[in-house]
Amino acid sequence: MNKNIGQDQLNKQLLSPDFVLDSAVEARYQEAQSLARYYAEVERALVVLSDMVRAKSYICYGRLGQVLGLQTEAVSEEVESIWEQVILEQLHPEDLTDKIAWELCYHAYMLAQPQEQRPDYYLQHFLRFRLGDGSYVMLRHRIYYLAYDLEGHVSLSLCLYTMAQDSRVSVVSSMLLEISV
């Protein structure tokens, strides 16, 4: 799958709903920003909170952002895209294509689940990240869908990047069910 075609498909699926921005959505976004900061601190992770309502992302660099050379002065920043370009630009091209394909599959899988069971799942896969010297390190990438609108469209997602221990791709349920693919 071509990376741009896949990214366009995800954009269409994630950004096309007519979201309503109200005080409840704003409160959920504020809570999710706190959660992103918490994960960045506790897991030393690079965390991306994507807000489909505003078509923006909130990136918390954590210790991993420093290690990978991504963090400048800011500990976090908001960018005008749901895509974490600062990270995606450093991924191995094959892994970037796979990442987008996995996210398309995950999105379809999640929408097929009963809404009350969706919080039980996340996607986990592994990506090669290019360092400044041209070498690669393996990162574990997890994506969680945190919130949905009243019609069931994803409104907030959270991506966690940490150093990898292994390289299996799986959809994981917090209910101790793991589906390896």
Side-chain angles (χ1 to χ4, degrees):
M1 168 184 289
N2 180 302
K3 155 188 101 70
N4 291 328
I5 292 171
Q7 203 167 9
D8 289 346
Q9 287 176 329
L10 267 173
N11 276 339
K12 184 176 182 183
Q13 291 176 22
L14 294 172
L15 297 174
S16 63
D18 292 327
F19 291 107
V20 175
L21 180 58
D22 59 19
S23 60
V25 171
E26 183 60 33
R28 182 67 179 129
Y29 179 66
Q30 297 299 321
E31 291 171 12
Q33 281 184 314
S34 294
L35 182 65
R37 288 188 298 270
Y38 175 79
Y39 269 114
E41 182 179 332
V42 170
E43 288 205 27
R44 306 290 192 248
L46 180 57
V47 183
V48 180
L49 172 64
S50 294
D51 178 357
M52 280 32 113
V53 176
R54 294 172 192 78
K56 292 183 177 186
S57 290
Y58 178 70
I59 302 173
C60 297
Y61 290 98
R63 177 74 177 118
L64 184 60
Q66 294 172 344
V67 169
L68 297 176
L70 296 176
Q71 183 180 350
T72 55
E73 296 298 315
V75 174
S76 62
E77 68 176 324
E78 199 166 63
V79 296
E80 299 292 324
S81 171
I82 63 167
W83 298 99
E84 55 270 26
Q85 286 306 124
V86 67
I87 301 164
L88 301 179
E89 292 168 352
Q90 301 302 316
L91 295 181
H92 189 282
E94 291 172 6
D95 293 356
L96 178 56
T97 301
D98 290 347
K99 176 189 186 304
I100 292 167
W102 282 118
E103 288 190 26
L104 279 165
C105 291
Y106 177 67
H107 185 259
Y109 179 81
M110 291 300 288
L111 293 181
Q113 302 310 305
Q115 199 157 354
E116 66 276 359
Q117 292 179 9
R118 291 178 188 175
D120 295 339
Y121 296 92
Y122 64 91
L123 173 68
Q124 168 180 280
H125 60 113
F126 298 83
L127 306 164
R128 291 167 285 180
F129 184 92
R130 187 179 61 247
L131 299 173
D133 65 3
S135 65
Y136 285 89
V137 295
M138 189 67 73
L139 298 181
R140 176 184 179 206
H141 173 250
R142 289 172 284 164
I143 184 169
Y144 298 82
Y145 286 169
L146 298 182
Y148 298 85
D149 70 3
L150 295 175
E151 295 176 13
H153 301 107
V154 179
S155 59
L156 290 173
S157 69
L158 188 76
C159 289
L160 301 174
Y161 295 87
T162 55
M163 294 302 283
Q165 303 300 320
D166 65 26
S167 58
R168 294 177 299 140
V169 174
S170 51
V171 173
V172 180
S173 167
S174 60
M175 306 305 289
L176 303 178
L177 166 72
E178 184 169 320
I179 305 164
S180 293
V181 286

